[in-house]
Amino acid sequence: MGNSGGSLTTRSTSTGELHQLMRAAGFTDIDDTEALAEGWRVTNFGDAGRRSLANLVQGTGAPAVMVSFHDSDVGFIEALTPDGNSWEGLLNREMAESYEIPLEHFPVGPTVAGALAWSAAAGLTPDEEAIRQTLTGSALFAEELSSALLAALGLPGAA
């Protein structure tokens, strides 16, 4: 069985502070944190509440992107900036279809536009074609596409 938790990427001055803010925002089973560059960090978690992302962005004052995984097969993306710029998306569409997830709820064009706007609002330099490829591509594990998405969004230090 694969990963059914998620990953959160945001800016924070320290891992300890980020974990504390995540717990306060409603994230559970907070695990490994990887430091990227320029204060960006990727933290794994077990579960998040309905408003956890919004609560975290409000608490940190920093943009964030969260990917919730379904058995490592599918990734549900939510991203938000402090000024309310948000978007949602889906990773591993082919696998999502096998789970009967309605792909029409995650149209690629508007998702790419939202990702580009979020990235610009976060002060990053995105790669539009790479974003589109991660949103339409397939992989054995959705986590692979999630990592590619972070790099495509322009997160410094993302591989």
Side-chain angles (χ1 to χ4, degrees), residues 4 6 8 22 27 31 70-71 76 87 114-115 118 121 124 128 134 138 140 145 153 156:
S4 290
L8 173 82
M22 286 178 72
F27 290 87
D31 201 0
H70 179 71
D71 201 23
F76 296 94
W87 62 280
W118 178 90
L124 304 172
E128 181 175 354
T134 61
S138 62
L140 182 58
L145 292 170
L153 289 170

Side-chain angles (χ1 to χ4, degrees), residues 1-5 67-76 90-99 101 134 137-146:
M1 180 173 268
N3 181 8
S4 290
V67 181
S68 299
F69 299 106
H70 179 71
D71 201 23
S72 287
D73 291 332
V74 178
F76 296 94
L90 183 67
L91 296 172
N92 234 5
R93 295 174 76 80
E94 194 172 299
M95 284 300 296
E97 199 167 30
S98 73
Y99 282 100
I101 295 169
T134 61
S138 62
L140 182 58
F141 300 107
E143 291 85 350
E144 296 170 37
L145 292 170
S146 179

Side-chain angles (χ1 to χ4, degrees), residues 19-27 48-49 51-57:
H19 288 192
Q20 182 179 2
L21 289 167
M22 286 178 72
R23 281 190 291 279
F27 290 87
R51 298 228 358 107
S52 292
L53 181 64
N55 292 340
L56 181 86
V57 169

Side-chain angles (χ1 to χ4, degrees), residues 44 46 64 78 81 89 103 119 127 130 135 142:
N44 296 323
E78 294 179 65
T81 63
L103 300 183
S119 186
D127 178 336
L135 295 172

